[in-house]
Amino acid sequence: MGLNLKELVVRDKTTLEAFSSKVIAIDAYNAIYQFLASIRGPDGLQLSDSEGRITSHLSGLLYRNINFLSLGIKPVYVFDGKPPSLKTAEIERRKQIKKDATVKYEKAIAAGNMEDARKFAQQTTSMKDGMVKESKQILTYFGIPYIDAPSEGEAMAAHLTNTGQAYASASQDFDSILCGAKRLIRNFTNSGRRKIPNRNTYVEIEPEIIETQKTLDALGVTREQLVDIGILIGTDFNPNGFDRIGPKTALKMIKQHSCLEDIPQIQEQLQEIDYQQIRKIFLEPIVAEVDEIVFGQVDYEGMTNYLKERSFSEDRIQSSLNRLKKALEKKSQNLDQWF
DNA sequence: CCGCGATA
DNA sequence: TATCGCGGG
């Protein structure tokens, strides 16, 4: 993913609980992709049902959404539409990485190096045709709404924070900030230590919120300038960025010269990319209006039957859904006290 | 990724 | 009661 704004944005620690009763626009592709990449055994193989179909994404969506709904969070998933044509180079680049990783994976397995095997297996992760449909199916059983974006999901999620239909967007990527999202949540999951598979080390995962205005104030730049900074560092639409320019240099250059056209050192390289079009993708993103985001009821029976068909154990389904049912009953009791 | 049982 | 390691499908 090319857009390393991590060092520049103002990231504040937060918790899942802080978003109770708020509508959060979730980058569906980003979430599902992460489940597919990380829900794997020690050898790197994904979970699959009795017919060999991958189920890692279903497992991830099940448990995470139970947590969201139990806390009163109102997720709306935003799926990608047609990518901008400028993205084709980046899409090809990712395909190539997956191809290379497949070879490396097989070598690591042959060598019996499980740590490498898992790492390379993760890099082969790809979203297969049926997975979007299957994920939407799970969301429907939860009564969780989803939106099909006309183009980039992150742009659509950003738009929802501006119409007031969502409080924030949630993704690991920073694109929605350049698209004008009011707020971005990263690590939108329960906090805690996570073990790195096959190694004796841990990482602390904590949700964090980025308030776009706060970041712009702190950096002393406009959103237009932040987009230019992004282009200098590298985006999905110019993955390589500019030679020897990282986040710090990019910020310094834009603060000094104010825009791409006025930075003398980069003019030659600037002519090699369609920077006006890239700006437009972020500043005038292709989005659609949606009239009302409706949350439904949980279809416990439908969910149970569907997951049973996909080889989930009945005991686990039942105990998970019972937890959800308990949490939802408790919430409606709390609400009843007002009447 | 996530929950759960084992462990202390 | 809190942390760890394992297995899930």
Side-chain angles (χ1 to χ4, degrees):
Chain A
M1 295 278 156
L3 188 52
N4 184 20
L5 291 182
K6 197 173 174 181
E7 296 170 46
L8 294 182
V9 298
V10 180
R11 297 179 286 147
D12 292 317
K13 285 181 183 178
T14 184
T15 59
L16 272 197
E17 289 78 5
F19 303 99
S20 180
S21 85
K22 296 230 172 3
V23 177
I24 308 297
I26 299 179
D27 178 355
Y29 180 87
N30 189 263
I32 294 166
Y33 189 89
Q34 287 221 332
F35 291 140
L36 292 170
S38 60
I39 304 181
R40 293 167 180 267
D43 51 359
L45 288 180
Q46 287 157 315
L47 305 186
S48 59
D49 65 17
S50 55
E51 294 178 32
R53 298 172 296 181
I54 292 166
T55 53
S56 294
H57 55 311
L58 305 182
S59 179
L61 285 168
L62 173 69
Y63 295 117
R64 186 167 293 177
N65 285 308
I66 284 174
N67 288 336
F68 288 161
L69 296 184
S70 298
L71 290 169
I73 294 165
K74 297 157 108 177
V76 48
Y77 282 76
V78 183
F79 287 85
D80 283 324
K82 191 176 176 293
S85 56
L86 272 177
K87 201 167 179 173
T88 45
E90 171 63 8
I91 292 168
E92 282 309 308
R93 195 184 68 88
R94 290 181 194 174
K95 270 189 198 163
Q96 190 55 48
I97 289 173
K98 291 182 208 307
K99 262 192 191 168
D100 296 346
T102 307
V103 177
K104 291 177 187 166
Y105 168 74
E106 272 151 23
K107 278 188 181 167
I109 285 289
N113 187 338
M114 287 303 129
E115 194 181 325
D116 277 0
R118 200 177 191 283
K119 182 178 78 185
F120 293 129
Q122 284 192 334
Q123 291 176 14
T124 69
T125 303
S126 71
M127 186 93 99
K128 296 286 164 35
D129 280 341
M131 290 174 175
V132 166
K133 207 173 171 190
E134 294 164 350
S135 299
K136 287 177 175 175
Q137 185 70 254
I138 292 279
L139 296 177
T140 300
Y141 289 129
F142 270 119
I144 294 173
Y146 59 83
I147 292 170
D148 287 306
S151 185
E152 299 267 72
E154 306 226 44
M156 187 65 211
H159 182 63
L160 293 173
T161 70
N162 288 310
T163 61
Q165 287 166 298
Y167 178 78
S169 70
S171 177
Q172 292 307 98
D173 298 338
F174 295 97
D175 299 52
S176 71
I177 290 187
L178 296 193
C179 288
K182 282 201 171 131
R183 304 173 188 85
L184 168 68
I185 311 167
R186 301 183 73 239
N187 301 331
F188 194 46
T189 172
N190 272 318
S191 54
R193 293 173 91 199
R194 304 285 156 83
K195 192 183 185 299
I196 310 283
N198 300 320
R199 292 173 95 233
N200 265 332
T201 48
Y202 295 82
V203 275
E204 193 66 39
I205 298 291
E206 273 185 318
E208 59 187 34
I209 185 159
I210 296 145
E211 302 264 1
T212 300
Q213 194 53 55
K214 190 173 175 180
T215 288
L216 295 177
D217 291 346
L219 297 177
V221 298
T222 63
R223 206 230 305 176
E224 287 74 10
Q225 289 179 315
L226 191 60
V227 168
D228 278 4
I229 290 170
I231 294 171
L232 285 172
I233 300 169
T235 70
D236 284 349
F237 315 105
N238 65 316
N240 299 326
F242 286 67
D243 292 341
R244 298 188 319 280
I245 299 180
K248 285 191 163 178
T249 311
L251 174 64
K252 203 172 150 191
M253 284 175 157
I254 289 298
K255 290 200 76 164
Q256 190 175 354
H257 303 286
S258 94
C259 65
L260 295 175
E261 290 89 335
D262 293 348
I263 304 170
Q265 309 93 295
I266 66 158
Q267 290 313 305
E268 205 173 309
Q269 264 200 81
L270 188 59
Q271 298 315 312
E272 293 167 18
I273 60 166
D274 193 350
Y275 67 96
Q276 312 252 35
Q277 188 58 35
I278 299 173
R279 277 178 178 162
K280 203 173 166 193
I281 291 171
F282 292 116
L283 296 173
E284 297 165 46
I286 297 169
V287 294
E289 301 305 325
V290 289
D291 22 65
E292 199 188 355
I293 298 173
V294 184
F295 293 83
Q297 297 292 115
V298 183
D299 177 356
Y300 293 98
E301 200 188 335
M303 179 89 78
T304 304
N305 290 335
Y306 182 67
L307 292 176
K308 270 165 70 181
E309 277 174 30
R310 304 303 302 267
S311 306
F312 282 65
S313 98
E314 204 162 350
D315 284 354
R316 281 174 185 256
I317 301 169
Q318 237 45 268
S319 70
S320 301
L321 292 182
N322 280 338
R323 269 194 305 119
L324 174 62
K325 203 181 259 182
K326 283 261 176 63
L328 292 179
E329 279 165 5
K330 196 173 176 184
K331 277 203 300 128
S332 75
Q333 275 175 27
N334 291 342
L335 207 64
D336 286 345
Q337 293 176 346
W338 282 91
F339 298 98

CSV table of all heavy atoms in Angstrom, one decimal, chain A residues 237-260:
chain,number,residue,atom,x,y,z
A,237,PHE,N,-1.6,5.6,-7.1
A,237,PHE,CA,-1.6,6.0,-8.5
A,237,PHE,C,-0.3,6.5,-9.0
A,237,PHE,O,-0.1,6.9,-10.1
A,237,PHE,CB,-2.7,7.1,-8.6
A,237,PHE,CG,-4.0,6.7,-7.8
A,237,PHE,CD1,-4.3,7.3,-6.6
A,237,PHE,CD2,-4.8,5.7,-8.3
A,237,PHE,CE1,-5.4,6.9,-5.9
A,237,PHE,CE2,-5.9,5.3,-7.7
A,237,PHE,CZ,-6.2,5.9,-6.4
A,238,ASN,N,0.7,6.6,-8.1
A,238,ASN,CA,2.1,6.8,-8.4
A,238,ASN,C,2.9,6.1,-7.4
A,238,ASN,O,3.6,6.7,-6.5
A,238,ASN,CB,2.5,8.3,-8.5
A,238,ASN,CG,2.4,9.0,-7.2
A,238,ASN,OD1,1.4,8.8,-6.5
A,238,ASN,ND2,3.4,9.8,-6.9
A,239,PRO,N,2.9,4.7,-7.4
A,239,PRO,CA,3.4,3.9,-6.3
A,239,PRO,C,4.9,4.2,-5.9
A,239,PRO,O,5.2,4.0,-4.7
A,239,PRO,CB,3.3,2.5,-6.8
A,239,PRO,CG,2.3,2.5,-7.9
A,239,PRO,CD,2.4,3.9,-8.5
A,240,ASN,N,5.7,4.7,-6.8
A,240,ASN,CA,7.1,4.8,-6.5
A,240,ASN,C,7.4,6.2,-5.8
A,240,ASN,O,8.4,6.4,-5.3
A,240,ASN,CB,7.9,4.7,-7.7
A,240,ASN,CG,7.8,3.3,-8.3
A,240,ASN,OD1,7.6,2.3,-7.6
A,240,ASN,ND2,7.8,3.2,-9.7
A,241,GLY,N,6.4,7.1,-5.8
A,241,GLY,CA,6.7,8.4,-5.2
A,241,GLY,C,7.8,9.1,-6.0
A,241,GLY,O,8.0,8.9,-7.2
A,242,PHE,N,8.5,9.9,-5.3
A,242,PHE,CA,9.7,10.6,-5.9
A,242,PHE,C,11.0,10.2,-5.2
A,242,PHE,O,11.0,9.8,-4.1
A,242,PHE,CB,9.5,12.2,-5.7
A,242,PHE,CG,8.4,12.8,-6.6
A,242,PHE,CD1,7.1,12.4,-6.4
A,242,PHE,CD2,8.8,13.6,-7.6
A,242,PHE,CE1,6.1,13.0,-7.2
A,242,PHE,CE2,7.8,14.2,-8.4
A,242,PHE,CZ,6.5,13.8,-8.2
A,243,ASP,N,12.0,10.2,-6.0
A,243,ASP,CA,13.3,9.7,-5.5
A,243,ASP,C,13.8,10.4,-4.2
A,243,ASP,O,13.7,11.7,-4.2
A,243,ASP,CB,14.4,10.0,-6.6
A,243,ASP,CG,14.2,9.1,-7.8
A,243,ASP,OD1,13.4,8.1,-7.6
A,243,ASP,OD2,14.7,9.4,-8.9
A,244,ARG,N,14.1,9.6,-3.3
A,244,ARG,CA,14.7,10.1,-2.0
A,244,ARG,C,13.8,11.1,-1.3
A,244,ARG,O,14.3,12.0,-0.6
A,244,ARG,CB,16.1,10.8,-2.3
A,244,ARG,CG,17.1,9.8,-2.8
A,244,ARG,CD,18.5,10.4,-2.8
A,244,ARG,NE,18.5,11.8,-3.3
A,244,ARG,CZ,18.5,12.1,-4.6
A,244,ARG,NH1,18.4,11.2,-5.5
A,244,ARG,NH2,18.6,13.4,-4.9
A,245,ILE,N,12.5,11.0,-1.5
A,245,ILE,CA,11.6,11.9,-0.7
A,245,ILE,C,10.7,11.0,0.1
A,245,ILE,O,9.9,10.2,-0.4
A,245,ILE,CB,10.7,12.8,-1.6
A,245,ILE,CG1,11.6,13.7,-2.5
A,245,ILE,CG2,9.7,13.6,-0.8
A,245,ILE,CD1,10.9,14.6,-3.4
A,246,GLY,N,10.8,11.1,1.4
A,246,GLY,CA,10.0,10.5,2.4
A,246,GLY,C,9.0,11.5,3.0
A,246,GLY,O,9.0,12.6,2.6
A,247,PRO,N,8.3,11.0,4.1
A,247,PRO,CA,7.3,11.9,4.7
A,247,PRO,C,7.9,13.3,5.2
A,247,PRO,O,7.3,14.3,4.9
A,247,PRO,CB,6.8,11.1,5.9
A,247,PRO,CG,7.1,9.7,5.5
A,247,PRO,CD,8.3,9.7,4.6
A,248,LYS,N,9.0,13.2,5.8
A,248,LYS,CA,9.6,14.4,6.4
A,248,LYS,C,10.0,15.4,5.3
A,248,LYS,O,9.7,16.6,5.4
A,248,LYS,CB,10.8,14.1,7.2
A,248,LYS,CG,10.4,13.5,8.6
A,248,LYS,CD,11.6,13.5,9.5
A,248,LYS,CE,11.1,13.3,11.0
A,248,LYS,NZ,12.3,13.2,11.9
A,249,THR,N,10.7,15.0,4.3
A,249,THR,CA,11.1,15.8,3.2
A,249,THR,C,9.9,16.4,2.4
A,249,THR,O,9.9,17.6,2.1
A,249,THR,CB,12.0,15.1,2.2
A,249,THR,OG1,13.0,14.4,3.0
A,249,THR,CG2,12.7,16.0,1.2
A,250,ALA,N,8.9,15.5,2.2
A,250,ALA,CA,7.7,15.9,1.5
A,250,ALA,C,7.0,17.1,2.2
A,250,ALA,O,6.7,18.1,1.6
A,250,ALA,CB,6.8,14.8,1.4
A,251,LEU,N,6.9,17.0,3.5
A,251,LEU,CA,6.3,18.0,4.3
A,251,LEU,C,7.1,19.3,4.2
A,251,LEU,O,6.5,20.4,4.0
A,251,LEU,CB,6.1,17.6,5.8
A,251,LEU,CG,5.6,18.7,6.7
A,251,LEU,CD1,4.2,19.1,6.4
A,251,LEU,CD2,5.7,18.2,8.2
A,252,LYS,N,8.4,19.2,4.4
A,252,LYS,CA,9.2,20.4,4.3
A,252,LYS,C,9.1,21.1,3.0
A,252,LYS,O,9.0,22.3,2.9
A,252,LYS,CB,10.7,19.9,4.6
A,252,LYS,CG,11.6,20.9,5.1
A,252,LYS,CD,13.0,20.3,5.4
A,252,LYS,CE,14.1,21.3,5.3
A,252,LYS,NZ,15.4,20.6,5.4
A,253,MET,N,9.1,20.3,1.9
A,253,MET,CA,9.1,20.9,0.6
A,253,MET,C,7.7,21.6,0.3
A,253,MET,O,7.7,22.7,-0.2
A,253,MET,CB,9.2,19.8,-0.5
A,253,MET,CG,10.6,19.3,-0.7
A,253,MET,SD,10.6,17.9,-1.8
A,253,MET,CE,12.3,18.0,-2.4
A,254,ILE,N,6.6,21.0,0.8
A,254,ILE,CA,5.3,21.6,0.5
A,254,ILE,C,5.2,22.9,1.4
A,254,ILE,O,4.6,23.9,1.0
A,254,ILE,CB,4.2,20.6,0.8
A,254,ILE,CG1,4.1,19.6,-0.3
A,254,ILE,CG2,2.8,21.3,0.9
A,254,ILE,CD1,3.9,20.1,-1.7
A,255,LYS,N,5.7,22.8,2.6
A,255,LYS,CA,5.6,24.0,3.5
A,255,LYS,C,6.4,25.2,2.9
A,255,LYS,O,6.1,26.3,3.0
A,255,LYS,CB,6.0,23.7,4.9
A,255,LYS,CG,5.0,22.8,5.6
A,255,LYS,CD,5.2,22.8,7.1
A,255,LYS,CE,4.6,24.1,7.7
A,255,LYS,NZ,4.4,24.0,9.2
A,256,GLN,N,7.5,24.8,2.3
A,256,GLN,CA,8.4,25.8,1.8
A,256,GLN,C,7.9,26.4,0.5
A,256,GLN,O,7.9,27.6,0.2
A,256,GLN,CB,9.8,25.2,1.6
A,256,GLN,CG,10.9,26.3,1.3
A,256,GLN,CD,12.3,25.7,1.2
A,256,GLN,OE1,12.5,24.5,1.5
A,256,GLN,NE2,13.2,26.5,0.8
A,257,HIS,N,7.4,25.5,-0.4
A,257,HIS,CA,7.0,26.0,-1.8
A,257,HIS,C,5.5,25.9,-2.0
A,257,HIS,O,5.1,26.4,-3.1
A,257,HIS,CB,7.7,25.1,-2.8
A,257,HIS,CG,9.2,25.1,-2.7
A,257,HIS,ND1,10.0,26.2,-3.0
A,257,HIS,CD2,10.1,24.1,-2.2
A,257,HIS,CE1,11.3,25.9,-2.8
A,257,HIS,NE2,11.4,24.6,-2.3
A,258,SER,N,4.8,25.4,-1.1
A,258,SER,CA,3.3,25.4,-1.1
A,258,SER,C,2.6,24.4,-2.1
A,258,SER,O,1.5,24.0,-1.8
A,258,SER,CB,2.7,26.8,-1.2
A,258,SER,OG,2.5,27.1,-2.6
A,259,CYS,N,3.2,24.1,-3.2
A,259,CYS,CA,2.5,23.1,-4.1
A,259,CYS,C,3.6,22.4,-5.0
A,259,CYS,O,4.7,23.0,-5.2
A,259,CYS,CB,1.4,23.7,-4.9
A,259,CYS,SG,1.9,24.9,-6.0
A,260,LEU,N,3.2,21.3,-5.6
A,260,LEU,CA,4.1,20.5,-6.5
A,260,LEU,C,4.7,21.4,-7.6
A,260,LEU,O,5.9,21.3,-7.8
A,260,LEU,CB,3.3,19.3,-7.1
A,260,LEU,CG,2.8,18.3,-6.2
A,260,LEU,CD1,2.0,17.2,-6.9
A,260,LEU,CD2,3.9,17.6,-5.4
